[in-house]
Amino acid sequence: MTHQPSTQLSLPPVTVIGLGPMGLALAGTLLRSGHPTTVWNRTPEKARDLVSRGARLGVSVADAVTASPLTLVCLKDYASLYEVLDPAAGTVSGRALVNLNSGTPQEAHTATEWAAERGAGYLDGAIMVPPPLVGDPGSVFLYSGPREVFDAHRATLESLGDPRYLGDDPGLAVLHNAALLGLMYATMNGFLHATALAGSAGVPTAEFADLAVNWFLPTVVNSTLAEHAPDLDAGHYPGDLGTLEMNLNALDHIARTCVEQGVHAEQPRLMREIAAQAIGDGHGGSNYLAVFEVFKKAAASAT
Ligand code: NAP
């Protein structure tokens, strides 16, 4: 049996294109919030459960897009966005598209041009939580593009989580996504490597995790990274409490310990190499945060 909650029929209709794990979570959340929800997916069978709960399955992409003033696109990548929306390009004029797939800033700019040429309002976005957390008020969603498109649909976007508007530049959402995911993977690898190293002596993971997390958060994240963030912008790396030369020694010990214990040593070796490069650039007497200069320089030479 299909139904829409009668008390909430005044909420604006929304269309969701793409029903992978994330698109299913988006559409399911919008339905639960009371938005009349139209969906479309290349493989229509994936809409069966949503339809049984009250969603409408568009008979075509054009039919789905014209059902709502706002269409959320959640496909694998930008290439699939064009593949799906090109045949329905005539229907997007005067409507808003919010693209939530991952990609690069350049891809976001190209998609913005594609939408502008067809008269659509376009926001690029990035989802910073896994599907089960969609709909939680604290779940961070990043958006960039024209402020008026964000403001017009802000209330609907709030049904999905905590919408953060980053600015007019449409590339900002995916840029932040890449930066935050880079942080996540580097931190997870750091933790997994450390756990493997401790585990090489038979230390149980739960025991090590308790020590590691309770040391890392106050000592490294709060006291070093958050507190000294302004120093990074200022290029201010006083080495009076410990120098990069001293840290190079520590990185060397980590790499040698890995070899002794028979644990993968490439990650500490790479970190050692980056620190050595900063020292070679004249930062040996600075504190460890001076490796920031190496990262910035590599970014500049890559563009
Ligand atoms: P996904 O595997 O990245 O995307 C699946 C969706 O893309 C399905 O709707 C699939 O259609 C469609 N698709 C793929 N290639 C297509 C093509 N050539 N033509 C038409 N449709 C095509 O799964 P997902 O987890 O739902 O992710 C969607 C987006 O959300 C991705 O960009 C991902 O980076 C982002 N995201 C995902 C998560 C997560 O934890 N899952 C978290 C944050 C962000 P079919 O069903 O027909 O195959």
Side-chain angles (χ1 to χ4, degrees):
M1 192 180 80
T2 65
H3 74 281
Q4 290 286 350
S6 58
T7 51
Q8 295 165 320
L9 280 177
S10 56
L11 291 179
V14 186
T15 292
V16 178
I17 303 277
L19 298 176
M22 188 50 89
L24 284 171
L26 298 173
T29 301
L30 290 164
L31 254 188
R32 256 196 318 280
S33 309
H35 288 274
T37 305
T38 300
V39 296
W40 183 91
N41 195 50
R42 177 180 63 177
T43 311
E45 291 74 27
K46 290 189 186 169
R48 197 173 295 142
D49 177 56
L50 287 168
V51 169
S52 76
R53 290 156 53 203
R56 186 173 83 79
L57 177 63
V59 294
S60 63
V61 179
D63 175 46
V65 169
T66 50
S68 311
L70 170 66
T71 291
L72 305 182
V73 181
C74 191
L75 296 163
K76 190 178 97 183
D77 50 21
Y78 285 81
S80 47
L81 174 139
Y82 300 122
E83 203 172 309
V84 168
L85 283 181
D86 265 334
T91 61
V92 299
S93 179
R95 301 176 193 283
L97 293 178
V98 176
N99 181 29
L100 291 165
N101 63 243
S102 308
T104 70
Q106 238 170 55
E107 288 175 318
H109 280 273
T110 304
T112 302
E113 283 161 26
W114 180 96
E117 282 161 13
R118 288 154 185 84
Y122 179 88
L123 282 182
D124 214 86
I127 306 170
M128 301 312 301
V129 293
L133 292 185
V134 171
D136 184 308
S139 293
V140 172
F141 282 63
L142 307 176
Y143 299 101
S144 54
R147 174 103 223 182
E148 61 274 16
V149 179
F150 177 75
D151 287 342
H153 299 285
R154 183 183 191 122
T156 301
L157 301 176
E158 276 172 354
S159 301
L160 302 172
D162 175 9
R164 307 278 185 98
Y165 177 71
L166 299 173
D168 264 352
D169 176 347
L172 282 172
V174 286
L175 179 68
H176 280 72
N177 182 52
L180 291 172
L181 291 185
L183 173 64
M184 179 190 79
Y185 286 117
T187 308
M188 290 209 298
N189 275 7
F191 175 79
L192 295 170
H193 182 267
T195 304
L197 189 53
S200 68
V203 179
T205 297
E207 186 184 312
F208 180 70
D210 184 56
L211 172 67
V213 171
N214 288 310
W215 164 78
F216 186 71
L217 282 177
T219 312
V220 182
V221 177
N222 298 337
S223 295
T224 304
L225 301 183
E227 200 172 301
H228 292 282
D231 288 348
L232 297 182
D233 282 337
H236 180 59
Y237 316 111
D240 45 333
L241 298 179
T243 63
L244 198 43
E245 293 278 8
M246 180 277 289
N247 281 278
L248 189 73
N249 250 344
L251 289 163
D252 200 46
H253 295 154
I254 301 169
R256 288 195 290 116
T257 303
C258 291
V259 173
E260 276 182 19
Q261 295 294 115
V263 167
H264 199 273
E266 289 312 305
Q267 209 163 256
R269 278 191 193 127
L270 176 61
M271 292 190 288
R272 190 195 177 286
E273 209 176 285
I274 292 165
Q277 196 180 327
I279 291 170
D281 290 347
H283 298 291
S286 303
N287 70 39
Y288 184 77
L289 297 181
V291 299
F292 187 46
E293 297 299 322
V294 175
F295 289 131
K296 286 195 294 182
K297 200 169 65 170
S301 62
T303 52

